[in-house]
Amino acid sequence: LTQKRVYASAVMLFLAVCFLSVLLRQLIRRFPSVPVTLVAGLLLAAAMTLGNPDALIASYNVDAYLRGDLTTVDVEALEELGDSAIPAMARLEEVWIERASEKGLPHHEREALSRLTEALDLRAEELSTDTASFLSFSVPTARAEAILRSRGE
């Protein structure tokens, strides 16, 4: 799952609502197609804004990897999702560390774990030195800070 796929799906959903609205308008003259389309657009925009799609993408990809549906996980792609991906990245790191202590990791997972740990350490350092103001507060960053702080304990 990628950002492009999620956003393209959202646009296709909106276009489907527009198409159905126009179709219903042709069949039922009194159907309010413009208000229906506007409300659908506003609801979709709100869902994409407030729904935190980056966290959903990261969680979906990590879960798919841990289930075995994906053979690899792209750590660099997870990093590009920003602070929203930190909870999923930390969960993946925990699983890999646990697997490494139990039975060892294949070479590609060891390399990915190294990159993942490096990325999480770097972000933890950035957040610890960042003097953010109240105006720059975000829920994903607050979650990331809490997870990265507890990771260090």
Side-chain angles (χ1 to χ4, degrees), residues 74-92:
D74 189 354
V75 174
E76 292 169 3
L78 290 175
E79 287 179 69
E80 290 175 8
L81 296 174
D83 288 339
S84 297
I86 297 289
M89 292 169 70
R91 186 165 38 94
L92 181 62

Side-chain angles (χ1 to χ4, degrees), residues 89-109:
M89 292 169 70
R91 186 165 38 94
L92 181 62
E93 181 189 40
E94 285 178 21
V95 169
W96 274 343
I97 289 171
E98 185 179 311
R99 284 184 188 171
S101 66
E102 290 175 0
K103 58 182 178 180
L105 292 174
H107 179 70
H108 72 280
E109 284 184 355

Side-chain angles (χ1 to χ4, degrees), residues 9-66:
S9 297
V11 169
M12 285 189 289
L13 179 63
F14 177 68
L15 291 175
V17 169
C18 291
F19 175 76
L20 288 174
S21 178
V22 169
L23 182 65
L24 286 173
R25 174 74 177 169
Q26 293 297 318
L27 298 174
I28 305 167
R29 277 287 178 216
R30 298 180 70 78
F31 184 77
S33 64
V34 173
V36 167
T37 303
L38 287 174
V39 168
L42 289 174
L43 289 175
L44 189 59
M48 294 304 290
T49 303
L50 301 174
N52 198 358
D54 290 344
L56 172 79
I57 293 166
S59 181
Y60 177 88
N61 288 335
V62 167
D63 289 342
Y65 174 75
L66 294 176

Side-chain angles (χ1 to χ4, degrees), residues 130-138 141 145:
D130 190 17
T131 56
S133 70
F134 175 74
L135 297 175
S136 65
F137 173 81
S138 73
T141 302
E145 279 184 276

